[in-house]
Amino acid sequence: PRLFQPLKVGRLELSNRRVMPAMLTNFANPDGTVSERLKSYYVERARGGVGLIIVEITCVAPGGKGSPTQLGIYSDDFIPGLRDLARSVQAQGARIALQLHHAGRQTRAAVEGRQPVAPSPIPCPLLRETPRELAAEEIEGLVEAFAQAARRAQEAGFDAVEFHGAHGYLIAQFLSPYSNKRMDRYGGDREGRMRFALRILDRAKALVGPDFPILFRLSGDEFVEGGLTLDETRPIAQRLAGAGVHILHVSAG
């Protein structure tokens, strides 16, 4: 009975509680900008009456692509096209969030034009390419890349952002003992593995303010031996909420 009732989370006000989660369409232009086809796709979904649309994976750094035709947000040059997309969807009565993403090891050198990077040099079991281990200073650079992407999304008029911390992509790779074998401050125990995500949230909030709605997508269970399980993700979810995440978007795998 509540499905079609309004919902307010912080300053995010939805006309109903139906959400379209992010799914890659490959409809972006080759340079990562918004195409007319992609805009029309999301406008049509907004016309269908969904309360919130989460726009597909949007790359926060040139070396983080998971697909050759993936949206980008690693430069202010992307803002005009993204602003047009946000306004077009909002004009249909829906709210719109942008999912911020870095593929980490879950991509190919042919897509990125360089060797993929990851917390640890362990091949992705899906794509089987060995990534290069990130240096600590590079990790700090990626924290800034995610935060600046959130700032650009806010400037483009999006109602919220979602950090993609699930499904084996970069943030998830740091969170999971399956893919993070580091022994520095960004690895080891759960606290170390959470540091990357928490640093991103802290820096992003410094740029967009504490009230700008933030979603975080989290794999509740990775379903791989040595990976995250519900027992481990419960305290992670609590820490994310305490760090200012307004909505947890939980899936699996």
Side-chain angles (χ1 to χ4, degrees):
R2 298 191 182 203
L3 184 59
F4 295 95
Q5 292 180 9
L7 177 69
K8 184 174 182 181
V9 182
R11 61 191 243 191
L12 182 63
E13 298 186 34
L14 307 181
S15 60
N16 62 72
R17 302 172 188 223
R18 291 180 295 162
V19 178
M20 177 184 170
M23 289 186 295
L24 176 66
T25 62
N26 285 312
F27 289 169
N29 290 318
D31 63 356
T33 55
V34 175
S35 68
E36 284 299 314
R37 184 185 186 191
L38 184 135
K39 185 174 75 171
S40 297
Y41 172 85
Y42 283 111
V43 166
E44 190 67 20
R45 270 79 195 156
R47 284 179 182 147
V50 68
L52 173 66
I53 289 176
I54 306 173
V55 173
E56 62 198 79
I57 53 173
T58 304
C59 189
V60 302
K65 286 185 177 181
S67 167
T69 49
Q70 182 177 340
L71 276 173
I73 195 170
Y74 47 82
S75 162
D76 287 0
D77 294 340
F78 290 104
I79 293 176
L82 291 167
R83 181 180 291 122
D84 183 33
L85 171 61
R87 288 175 175 173
S88 298
V89 166
Q90 290 160 344
Q92 303 301 320
R95 300 302 96 198
I96 184 169
L98 190 66
Q99 188 182 75
L100 306 179
H101 166 268
H102 190 295
R105 72 179 188 176
Q106 198 163 298
T107 185
R108 291 188 169 95
V111 172
E112 293 197 346
R114 66 193 80 183
Q115 184 182 12
V117 296
S120 302
I122 303 170
C124 170
L126 179 66
L127 302 176
R128 302 182 181 180
E129 290 193 23
T130 301
R132 179 177 60 80
E133 181 171 304
L134 286 160
E137 58 271 19
E138 291 179 296
I139 295 171
E140 288 301 310
L142 289 170
V143 167
E144 188 67 16
F146 272 102
Q148 291 294 338
R151 186 265 303 169
R152 293 184 185 108
Q154 183 185 51
E155 290 187 17
F158 282 79
D159 298 295
V161 294
E162 177 173 86
F163 292 112
H164 199 334
H167 309 160
Y169 295 118
L170 184 65
I171 297 176
Q173 290 162 30
F174 273 93
L175 288 172
S176 177
Y178 177 71
S179 48
N180 185 349
K181 306 298 183 183
R182 301 178 73 94
M183 297 306 295
D184 63 3
R185 64 196 298 264
Y186 285 103
D189 60 10
R190 185 191 301 135
E191 192 68 26
R193 288 184 279 108
M194 285 191 299
R195 194 178 308 277
F196 183 54
L198 295 174
R199 290 276 294 113
I200 288 170
L201 291 169
D202 184 61
R203 177 59 180 150
K205 284 186 167 292
L207 295 179
V208 302
D211 298 326
F212 184 68
I214 291 178
L215 295 74
F216 192 100
R217 191 157 199 185
L218 178 69
S219 290
D221 193 318
E222 291 188 308
F223 297 134
V224 292
E225 186 175 350
L228 293 172
T229 65
L230 282 171
D231 286 341
E232 178 121 316
T233 55
R234 285 190 187 99
I236 290 174
Q238 290 173 327
R239 286 294 302 278
L240 294 171
V245 169
H246 298 93
I247 297 173
L248 282 164
H249 183 177
V250 183
S251 52

